[in-house]
Amino acid sequence: MHPALSVVIFTSFAGAGYGMLFLLGLLAAAQHHPADLRFNLACLVLTFLLMVVGLLASTRHLKHPERAWRAFSQWRSSWLSREAVAVMLTFVPAGVFALAWLVFVRLDGVWTLFPLLSALGAVAVVVCTAQIYASLRTIPEWHQPLVLPLYLAFALATGTLWVNAVTWSFGVTAPFAPVFALITLVLAWGLKLLYWRRIDGLKPASSTASATGLGRPGGVRTFDPPHAGTNYVMTEMGFQIGRRHASKLRRIALGLGFLLPALGCLVMILAAGPLGILAGWLAAAAGLAGVVVERWLFFAEARHVVMNYYRSQ
Amino acid sequence: MTSLPATPPARKLGLVIDLDTCVGCHACAVSCKEWNTGGYPAPLTDQDPYGAGVTGTWLNRIHSYELEAEIGPAGVEEVGRTIYFPRSCLHCDNAPCVTVCPTGASFKREEDGIVLVDEDKCFGCGLCAWACPYGARELDQGSGTMKKCTLCVDRITDQSLEEAARVPACVQACPASARHFGDLADPDSEVSRLVAARGGYDLMPEMDCAPTNKYLPPRPRRTGNRGQGEAPRLEPLAEAGGFLGWLDRVLAD
């Protein structure tokens, strides 16, 4: 599948934003954060920045973004529509949560409902994003039970890294925070290694023989394409990445997304002050960059069954 | 509404494509482009049409495949051959392209099962093309909306045309009668009888799309004693008498 930059940026950045929203919602409801208005402000600005960059990138994928409002109508059948609805619905409690958090610094009583609803909305958005891909039978690499937990785990891991970076910047050093980040990193990348092993061993159910209904498997081969040039189906669905290229990118993704942030978390546990703060921000940036590479590969390594019509496999 | 019809359509209009008689002339693809660029999904744009990198939107593409000869202990059991294979929307009963659509642009008609795109609602996200196993949908780079086979819906229902012309443009254009149009929900229709008689089949049944269009397999070729030993030797003609016989003898010496 063609890895469109707009969708890669959307799922990775918005994923981190919703991961932050989820964690902040829980921390705010539990009143487990520094009683500092500037902390709340910094967290919220970063969260909304990540979410908005991602959502704006997603509209770049549309040929007619002025018709985007129509995407709220088909939530009964379409995961993309459900995602659009979840995004909009989540802005309601998140908006109230943000305002209340900036007014009251710490939330209690009925106000804790809004951070909790925001956390719930964040989960719903990421579930919808993952299901858009996981529900497509035509792309065996995406139609996997691991895809949903992967999207959730990466959102949580990257969100945690950003929250930690802000927390350290305000001089609050709770050793559990980097440990929690390490746990989410191990979980997310552990699942990813499992996923990579799974898709490397995939036996395609479809072939040129089943796509055309002609001959025994292996007995039919493409003779001539329908046209000399290219077309939308070929450029969108026919993107293929070389095996060596992919394994190099997997190592880059692991290095950026796992090793560097893990190292950053260890530094944060050992060192407060400027070194810990620097490590926190570098870990967050590297973690997100690693997920961008991982997301690019998620597309580039996926093979659509329609290509059975175009080349013998 | 991008949910599929609650009750299965009473009529299922579709195509039956005969891979035995298709000659790969592309007349169906060309007449499809000609009709539809001015019809329901208009326009079907081309990019760089006179340049080296020409590309464009077509609703019907004609592939060709080679079938290898099957050779068994008794010699050639099935000769190798080239098959021309027209590929377009199959108007599936269980159309995943319809249910994934977030805007309500994609729909399946309740009255006859035709799958269509409302071009005014489509915002060009391309998700339906990802959901289709058959590559039947192409995102028009000129209009920014999704294009697909309409079964010439603006033609088959046009009462101002004479009845013989109320068929999809591809069916009318086919010089080999390899394309047949009709109601596949009616077991007595001409197309249903054709499917039953010739063993019409679904493409990629493992995708569970329940396509309406059916393909008829190429008929087996007679193999005779091809591939077994040499051709029979020619027998000499009977010797001629009279003048021609005398001439033959003189020349042969």
Side-chain angles (χ1 to χ4, degrees), chain B residues 114-132:
Chain B
I114 300 179
V115 176
L116 291 173
V117 176
D118 183 340
E119 301 289 330
D120 294 332
K121 288 183 181 166
C122 174
F123 69 175
C125 68
L127 185 55
C128 56
W130 291 3
C132 172

Side-chain angles (χ1 to χ4, degrees), chain A residues 41-253:
Chain A
L41 186 65
C43 281
L44 289 170
V45 166
L46 196 56
T47 305
F48 280 84
L49 214 61
L50 285 169
M51 277 161 47
V52 168
V53 166
L55 293 172
L56 285 181
S58 81
T59 61
R60 298 277 302 165
H61 187 65
L62 305 177
K63 290 282 186 288
H64 285 280
E66 77 281 4
R67 297 176 182 167
W69 61 272
R70 290 190 183 275
F72 303 122
S73 62
Q74 305 302 315
W75 49 270
R76 282 186 200 83
S77 69
S78 162
W79 280 107
L80 181 50
S81 180
R82 285 172 198 160
E83 182 191 45
V85 170
V87 164
M88 280 302 143
L89 285 183
T90 304
F91 271 124
V92 177
V96 178
F97 163 41
L99 288 176
W101 218 27
L102 296 177
V103 173
F104 302 127
V105 185
R106 274 193 170 170
L107 301 176
D108 55 3
V110 71
W111 292 106
T112 57
L113 192 64
F114 296 98
L116 285 177
L117 282 175
S118 306
L120 196 69
V123 175
V125 171
V126 178
V127 167
C128 291
T129 307
Q131 282 300 103
I132 291 171
Y133 304 105
S135 64
L136 296 175
R137 303 185 62 153
T138 47
I139 303 155
E141 284 82 358
W142 291 357
H143 193 59
Q144 296 287 334
L146 273 174
V147 166
L148 176 59
L150 266 172
Y151 269 76
L152 288 168
F154 276 117
L156 181 64
T158 46
T160 307
L161 290 172
W162 287 103
V163 171
N164 284 358
V166 179
T167 314
W168 251 244
S169 303
F170 281 87
V172 183
T173 54
F176 179 67
V179 172
F180 181 71
L182 275 173
I183 294 170
T184 60
L185 282 170
V186 169
L187 178 73
W189 290 97
L191 284 172
K192 192 73 210 188
L193 290 178
L194 213 63
Y195 169 84
W196 280 335
R197 181 185 285 187
R198 175 80 54 87
I199 65 166
D200 287 343
L202 267 185
K203 297 268 182 294
S206 299
S207 60
T208 302
S210 78
T212 59
L214 296 169
R216 306 149 288 137
V220 55
R221 59 170 179 259
T222 46
F223 175 62
D224 225 7
H227 41 85
T230 183
N231 69 29
Y232 168 76
V233 170
M234 293 168 79
T235 51
E236 181 75 4
M237 262 68 91
F239 186 95
Q240 237 194 345
I241 183 171
R243 195 181 289 266
R244 267 172 57 199
H245 199 53
S247 69
K248 191 184 284 178
L249 279 167
R250 284 182 183 184
R251 285 198 295 276
I252 291 174

Side-chain angles (χ1 to χ4, degrees), chain A residues 261-275:
Chain A
L263 209 65
C265 290
L266 291 178
V267 173
M268 288 167 83
I269 294 170
L270 297 172
L275 185 61

